[in-house]
Every structure is written in C-alpha cells, then in structure tokens.
Amino acid sequence: MYTIFRNLSVNALTAPADIDRRIGAVAAKTAGLPPDVLRSWRILAKSVDSRRGAPQLVYTLLAEVEKTSSAARKLEPVPPEMLAQFEAPRLELPETTLLHPLVVGTGPAGIFAALALAMAGTRPVVLDRGPEVEPRFAAVQHFLETRELEESANLLIGEGGAGTFSDGKLYTGTRDGNSGFILNAFAEAGAPAEIRYLKRPHIGSDRLRLVAAGLRKRILDLGGEFRFGVEVTDLLLRDGRCRGVVTASGETIEAPLTLIAAGLGGRELSRRLRERGAACEFKSFQIGCRIEHPQELVDRRQYRLTGSRPEALGAAEYHMVSHPQRAPGVSTFCMCPGGEILNATAWRGRSVTNGMSDYARAGEFANSCLIVTFPPEKFTGPDAAYARLEALEKAVFEQGGCDYTLPAQDAAAFLRRRNGLSSRRTSCRCGIVPGRIDRLLPEELGAGIAAALTHFDRLMPGFIRHGRLIGAETCVSSPLRFLRDPATLESSLAGLYLGGEGAGCAGGIMSAAADGLRLALAMLRRG
C-alpha cells in the first residue's frame, strides 16, 4: 500500500550531506517500521524551517510499504484512485490543423510555447536574434575577459534569454496548473531532479546552459526548426492581419500564426510593435540596485548559526520588504546566494546589473536587487520611461569608467551621502570602482533604499555594515503591457500573440514559461 509521511523533520545541524537519499530510512524509523517494510519512496516536498532554534529540514514523502506488516496497519493508506495525482504531470493538448507557426524568442516564454506547439505536431519555426547557447557562452566569456561587447550575443540576448545567466530560480507566486509540467520538462532536459520537490527550487547558471540545449533538442526531435542569428525588426501585415515577420536582412518569413516573446532585451522590437498598431498600456515598472554581502553573514542570520553552515544546508536566502511611511516601498528581488553580480548589458556604452549563481551556490558573496516600483503617472508616457532607463544605464557606464566596470559604494557611505568603498573584493568579474550610488540613482529609488537599509538592518543585523551597493538594475520589468483578447489571447493584431516578460505579461522564469504555454494552447485552439 501507499502512504504519505508529512512534516517529517530532521535537524539540519546533524543531518548528513546526502540526507535526501537517506530520508526514507528516517521515515521508517519515525513510524516504527522495520527498514525492509519500506518498498520504495520519493520526496514530494522539502523545505527549511529556521524560525525557531536549530534549522530543520521538513519533508513530505510518498512511500510504498508492505501492507502485511503489523506496524504498517497503523498508517493511513492513499486510495488507489488518488495515486494518479503523483504521476508525472501531462500537458493536455487540443487537436489542431495548425502547421509551421512562428515563435520569436527562446527565453522561457518562447521555448515553452515552441515545446507545446511541437508536442502537438505543428512543427514550429523558432527564431532568435542571438546564437545557440554554446557560442553565446563563448561570447559572454570574451566580454568578461576583454570588455568587447557583442550586442546580439551577451548576458541578455541569445538562446535561453536572460535567465540562462541567472540563478535559475523556479519559485513563483503565480499559481498555474501547468507548473508541474514545466518543472518536469526542465528536469528531463537536464535540470536537477530535486526541482520537482524543493519549496524554493533553482537550476544554477552552469546547468541552465545544458537545460537550454536539452529543450532545443527535444523540440527538434519533435519536428521543430530553429534559426539563430535572425533578428526580427518588423511585422508582415496584410489585410489587417499579421502574416509573419520581417528580419533585419529584409527577409520575410510567413506563418499562419506568430508568437513574439522578445524578453526585456527586445526594447527596439517592442517599440516597433507599438508603431505597427499592437495595443498596449503603460504600467508600473521597477528599477533597482544590487547589494552584496558576505554569504557567511546571510547564513548566520538566516539559519541562526554560531558556527559554519552544516553540509545538509545550502547557502541561505532572504526576502525582505520595506514599507516606510515617507518613502517608496522596497523589496528584495532575484536574491542570489553564493552568487555573483554581472554587468548584463546588451547595449554598448550602457551598464545594467544582474545576479547569477551556479548550482552549488558556493561563492563567497550573496547579492540581491533592491527594487522600487515607479507608477506610470511619474512619466509623460512609455517613451519617457524608456529614456529614463537608458539615461541611467549610460550614467552607470560613465561612473564605472566607461569600460563596463561597475560603480560601488558602501551601504553606510550611501546613507551618509559620502564617498566610501572599503574594499574592492567582490564577486563581480567586471570589477568595481568607488562610485556615488547616492547621486546616481533616481530620487525615489534612493529614498526608498535609504529607508529600506535601516529596516533590513533591524531584521538582519550587519546588513548595512557589511553591505555595498553596486550599479543599477534597469531590466527588472517592462513599462509596457501588450493587450490581449481575454478569450483568444491574440493581440489587437489578428494572428499575432505577444507574451513573456518583454510583453509585460510575466515576471520570472516560471511565470514566463507558463505564459508561453497559455499562448501556445490558445494558438492550437485557434489553428
């Protein structure tokens, strides 16, 4: 019979590093079962609870036990009809006659749309202005070593989108019925199997490259086609309908239906879509600034440790929010434990920060972005908002010395509005130089961060003393949201579907992937 062990708690300070492999034996012992009675088991959920005393690892397990055991009779069985919910999640695909739809962009929204379309047998054609992930990685390494930026192959542009060089965080506040399918698809493409059950799963930048290639291979095996190095600059409009796209080389590519998920690096394409009549609304968006701390500080504060971090625990994370009365609210965003800060620009002469971590999260430093929301009424329109972002990116570049080095300032010096960078030791491979972040940031962001630093220091003592602010982050979210028909999800231009972060319809890997799936299913029903 099958049973579920819930709230199985293990002291993380004494647990072995491979506790996930041994947790079945712990479950059997807790239930008073002989080890040989447990036929099989798998983890359904795992989280860390460090709210009181020593941090605890908390598990939920689905286990098959020998029904004839007297000890097993005390356990509550899972009815056979309920076991289906624990099987690998499936994607329900409608029947369709659609063939060769076009997908622009290989970030999470584009790639999962392409995957669903390929699974339905439509043989989609997928375009990306950047290269495949392998040459993209080489271009990124070249940039980090030489500061020579390739505008179509960088930390923002290319296969996998901006998320390829990130922490690969897969947790989201968005509730979507296909989340299990997305996690399973990532795991089948090479992501760690544990993403299926961790409360806060992540893939890691080193493994994301393999995952991007794995998803591409699956789509190719299903009959899809990829064309890299193809920049879409316009729509092919005929009789009031989108019939495909026009590329930078002047080539026209026709398609029965077109999906564009250009990401936050596709500002120029978003501008062209507006000019071509795709209806949109100007919405709130975020600007932020990275802050870096020793990971050891975060571990001690979050796990309530007096010594080093135990082997069973990964690098600690945090999420904090500040709601001051006389300054804008601030929240931490895209926290990267044991990670590094990047200059993730896609534009020459402009600097944009971001953060990433490899799977092990073994770096010396932790970083996160402190973000403030800017309402649309602060600007005369979306063009003014984009101009504000670009001006800030240029100012960061210039203050860093015009070679993609990033300006930095100790958090304490920022609060005193003085010069001050106590150390240039950093995770940022582009390096840091003393800067005046207090003068660089927009007034609203600066005021919000000043109030947030004081609040966060109360929650995590040492946040100010050991923190330093680095650069500015301008690719957090889009100032635009393209409008979609509630029933068909088409844009205001027939035959055109717009989605993902660049379209203002998602925020993060999971929500973007889910949005891509929604659009693909809508296209299949339409086709």
Side-chain angles (χ1 to χ4, degrees), residues 94-111:
E95 292 186 7
T96 186
T97 58
L98 182 65
L99 275 177
H100 305 300
L102 196 60
V103 176
V104 179
T106 60
I111 209 68

PDB file of all heavy atoms in Angstrom, residues 94-111:
ATOM      1  N   PRO A  94      -4.994  20.396 -27.282  1.00  0.00           N
ATOM      2  CA  PRO A  94      -6.164  20.258 -28.158  1.00  0.00           C
ATOM      3  C   PRO A  94      -5.753  19.784 -29.547  1.00  0.00           C
ATOM      4  O   PRO A  94      -4.622  19.997 -29.983  1.00  0.00           O
ATOM      5  CB  PRO A  94      -6.726  21.688 -28.214  1.00  0.00           C
ATOM      6  CG  PRO A  94      -5.554  22.567 -27.939  1.00  0.00           C
ATOM      7  CD  PRO A  94      -4.669  21.804 -27.000  1.00  0.00           C
ATOM      8  N   GLU A  95      -6.660  19.133 -30.224  1.00  0.00           N
ATOM      9  CA  GLU A  95      -6.397  18.747 -31.608  1.00  0.00           C
ATOM     10  C   GLU A  95      -6.333  20.002 -32.473  1.00  0.00           C
ATOM     11  O   GLU A  95      -7.041  20.976 -32.238  1.00  0.00           O
ATOM     12  CB  GLU A  95      -7.489  17.803 -32.110  1.00  0.00           C
ATOM     13  CG  GLU A  95      -7.477  16.451 -31.423  1.00  0.00           C
ATOM     14  CD  GLU A  95      -8.474  15.491 -32.050  1.00  0.00           C
ATOM     15  OE1 GLU A  95      -9.063  15.844 -33.106  1.00  0.00           O
ATOM     16  OE2 GLU A  95      -8.663  14.409 -31.491  1.00  0.00           O
ATOM     17  N   THR A  96      -5.481  19.966 -33.497  1.00  0.00           N
ATOM     18  CA  THR A  96      -5.284  21.168 -34.305  1.00  0.00           C
ATOM     19  C   THR A  96      -4.871  20.790 -35.719  1.00  0.00           C
ATOM     20  O   THR A  96      -4.353  19.689 -35.959  1.00  0.00           O
ATOM     21  CB  THR A  96      -4.208  22.071 -33.680  1.00  0.00           C
ATOM     22  OG1 THR A  96      -4.126  23.295 -34.385  1.00  0.00           O
ATOM     23  CG2 THR A  96      -2.848  21.388 -33.685  1.00  0.00           C
ATOM     24  N   THR A  97      -5.113  21.719 -36.635  1.00  0.00           N
ATOM     25  CA  THR A  97      -4.623  21.570 -38.015  1.00  0.00           C
ATOM     26  C   THR A  97      -3.492  22.554 -38.285  1.00  0.00           C
ATOM     27  O   THR A  97      -3.009  22.653 -39.415  1.00  0.00           O
ATOM     28  CB  THR A  97      -5.762  21.824 -39.011  1.00  0.00           C
ATOM     29  OG1 THR A  97      -6.300  23.147 -38.799  1.00  0.00           O
ATOM     30  CG2 THR A  97      -6.877  20.800 -38.845  1.00  0.00           C
ATOM     31  N   LEU A  98      -3.065  23.263 -37.251  1.00  0.00           N
ATOM     32  CA  LEU A  98      -2.027  24.285 -37.397  1.00  0.00           C
ATOM     33  C   LEU A  98      -0.705  23.661 -37.828  1.00  0.00           C
ATOM     34  O   LEU A  98      -0.290  22.627 -37.299  1.00  0.00           O
ATOM     35  CB  LEU A  98      -1.858  25.025 -36.067  1.00  0.00           C
ATOM     36  CG  LEU A  98      -0.850  26.179 -36.016  1.00  0.00           C
ATOM     37  CD1 LEU A  98      -1.288  27.324 -36.919  1.00  0.00           C
ATOM     38  CD2 LEU A  98      -0.695  26.666 -34.567  1.00  0.00           C
ATOM     39  N   LEU A  99      -0.016  24.317 -38.762  1.00  0.00           N
ATOM     40  CA  LEU A  99       1.299  23.866 -39.209  1.00  0.00           C
ATOM     41  C   LEU A  99       2.255  25.052 -39.335  1.00  0.00           C
ATOM     42  O   LEU A  99       1.863  26.118 -39.815  1.00  0.00           O
ATOM     43  CB  LEU A  99       1.213  23.141 -40.560  1.00  0.00           C
ATOM     44  CG  LEU A  99       0.866  21.653 -40.547  1.00  0.00           C
ATOM     45  CD1 LEU A  99       0.745  21.131 -41.959  1.00  0.00           C
ATOM     46  CD2 LEU A  99       1.884  20.837 -39.756  1.00  0.00           C
ATOM     47  N   HIS A 100       3.481  24.849 -38.889  1.00  0.00           N
ATOM     48  CA  HIS A 100       4.572  25.814 -39.022  1.00  0.00           C
ATOM     49  C   HIS A 100       4.254  27.203 -38.442  1.00  0.00           C
ATOM     50  O   HIS A 100       4.497  28.218 -39.088  1.00  0.00           O
ATOM     51  CB  HIS A 100       4.988  25.947 -40.491  1.00  0.00           C
ATOM     52  CG  HIS A 100       5.352  24.658 -41.128  1.00  0.00           C
ATOM     53  ND1 HIS A 100       6.380  23.856 -40.675  1.00  0.00           N
ATOM     54  CD2 HIS A 100       4.792  23.997 -42.191  1.00  0.00           C
ATOM     55  CE1 HIS A 100       6.452  22.767 -41.430  1.00  0.00           C
ATOM     56  NE2 HIS A 100       5.505  22.818 -42.345  1.00  0.00           N
ATOM     57  N   PRO A 101       3.718  27.258 -37.220  1.00  0.00           N
ATOM     58  CA  PRO A 101       3.606  28.568 -36.573  1.00  0.00           C
ATOM     59  C   PRO A 101       4.995  29.122 -36.289  1.00  0.00           C
ATOM     60  O   PRO A 101       5.985  28.368 -36.215  1.00  0.00           O
ATOM     61  CB  PRO A 101       2.855  28.262 -35.286  1.00  0.00           C
ATOM     62  CG  PRO A 101       3.222  26.846 -34.977  1.00  0.00           C
ATOM     63  CD  PRO A 101       3.335  26.167 -36.323  1.00  0.00           C
ATOM     64  N   LEU A 102       5.069  30.421 -36.097  1.00  0.00           N
ATOM     65  CA  LEU A 102       6.346  31.100 -35.881  1.00  0.00           C
ATOM     66  C   LEU A 102       6.460  31.526 -34.419  1.00  0.00           C
ATOM     67  O   LEU A 102       5.517  32.103 -33.863  1.00  0.00           O
ATOM     68  CB  LEU A 102       6.417  32.323 -36.801  1.00  0.00           C
ATOM     69  CG  LEU A 102       7.785  32.972 -37.028  1.00  0.00           C
ATOM     70  CD1 LEU A 102       8.764  31.997 -37.653  1.00  0.00           C
ATOM     71  CD2 LEU A 102       7.601  34.184 -37.955  1.00  0.00           C
ATOM     72  N   VAL A 103       7.602  31.243 -33.816  1.00  0.00           N
ATOM     73  CA  VAL A 103       7.893  31.673 -32.443  1.00  0.00           C
ATOM     74  C   VAL A 103       9.166  32.507 -32.473  1.00  0.00           C
ATOM     75  O   VAL A 103      10.200  32.038 -32.957  1.00  0.00           O
ATOM     76  CB  VAL A 103       8.074  30.475 -31.489  1.00  0.00           C
ATOM     77  CG1 VAL A 103       8.464  30.960 -30.092  1.00  0.00           C
ATOM     78  CG2 VAL A 103       6.793  29.644 -31.424  1.00  0.00           C
ATOM     79  N   VAL A 104       9.095  33.730 -31.961  1.00  0.00           N
ATOM     80  CA  VAL A 104      10.248  34.633 -31.931  1.00  0.00           C
ATOM     81  C   VAL A 104      10.713  34.768 -30.488  1.00  0.00           C
ATOM     82  O   VAL A 104       9.983  35.274 -29.633  1.00  0.00           O
ATOM     83  CB  VAL A 104       9.886  36.017 -32.513  1.00  0.00           C
ATOM     84  CG1 VAL A 104      11.104  36.942 -32.449  1.00  0.00           C
ATOM     85  CG2 VAL A 104       9.383  35.871 -33.941  1.00  0.00           C
ATOM     86  N   GLY A 105      11.925  34.303 -30.211  1.00  0.00           N
ATOM     87  CA  GLY A 105      12.479  34.371 -28.861  1.00  0.00           C
ATOM     88  C   GLY A 105      12.602  32.994 -28.244  1.00  0.00           C
ATOM     89  O   GLY A 105      11.688  32.164 -28.357  1.00  0.00           O
ATOM     90  N   THR A 106      13.747  32.724 -27.610  1.00  0.00           N
ATOM     91  CA  THR A 106      13.979  31.416 -26.989  1.00  0.00           C
ATOM     92  C   THR A 106      14.154  31.519 -25.476  1.00  0.00           C
ATOM     93  O   THR A 106      14.782  30.664 -24.855  1.00  0.00           O
ATOM     94  CB  THR A 106      15.219  30.728 -27.600  1.00  0.00           C
ATOM     95  OG1 THR A 106      16.371  31.549 -27.378  1.00  0.00           O
ATOM     96  CG2 THR A 106      15.037  30.469 -29.082  1.00  0.00           C
ATOM     97  N   GLY A 107      13.604  32.584 -24.869  1.00  0.00           N
ATOM     98  CA  GLY A 107      13.534  32.634 -23.420  1.00  0.00           C
ATOM     99  C   GLY A 107      12.468  31.658 -22.943  1.00  0.00           C
ATOM    100  O   GLY A 107      11.897  30.887 -23.736  1.00  0.00           O
ATOM    101  N   PRO A 108      12.159  31.642 -21.651  1.00  0.00           N
ATOM    102  CA  PRO A 108      11.190  30.668 -21.137  1.00  0.00           C
ATOM    103  C   PRO A 108       9.836  30.721 -21.836  1.00  0.00           C
ATOM    104  O   PRO A 108       9.248  29.675 -22.118  1.00  0.00           O
ATOM    105  CB  PRO A 108      11.073  31.043 -19.657  1.00  0.00           C
ATOM    106  CG  PRO A 108      12.360  31.720 -19.335  1.00  0.00           C
ATOM    107  CD  PRO A 108      12.755  32.452 -20.581  1.00  0.00           C
ATOM    108  N   ALA A 109       9.322  31.916 -22.124  1.00  0.00           N
ATOM    109  CA  ALA A 109       8.012  32.008 -22.779  1.00  0.00           C
ATOM    110  C   ALA A 109       8.068  31.425 -24.179  1.00  0.00           C
ATOM    111  O   ALA A 109       7.223  30.605 -24.562  1.00  0.00           O
ATOM    112  CB  ALA A 109       7.547  33.466 -22.820  1.00  0.00           C
ATOM    113  N   GLY A 110       9.059  31.825 -24.959  1.00  0.00           N
ATOM    114  CA  GLY A 110       9.165  31.336 -26.321  1.00  0.00           C
ATOM    115  C   GLY A 110       9.444  29.854 -26.398  1.00  0.00           C
ATOM    116  O   GLY A 110       8.834  29.126 -27.198  1.00  0.00           O
ATOM    117  N   ILE A 111      10.353  29.361 -25.560  1.00  0.00           N
ATOM    118  CA  ILE A 111      10.760  27.959 -25.680  1.00  0.00           C
ATOM    119  C   ILE A 111       9.655  27.018 -25.216  1.00  0.00           C
ATOM    120  O   ILE A 111       9.452  25.940 -25.793  1.00  0.00           O
ATOM    121  CB  ILE A 111      12.087  27.698 -24.921  1.00  0.00           C
ATOM    122  CG1 ILE A 111      12.862  26.545 -25.595  1.00  0.00           C
ATOM    123  CG2 ILE A 111      11.859  27.401 -23.471  1.00  0.00           C
ATOM    124  CD1 ILE A 111      13.380  26.874 -26.958  1.00  0.00           C
TER     125      ILE A 111
END
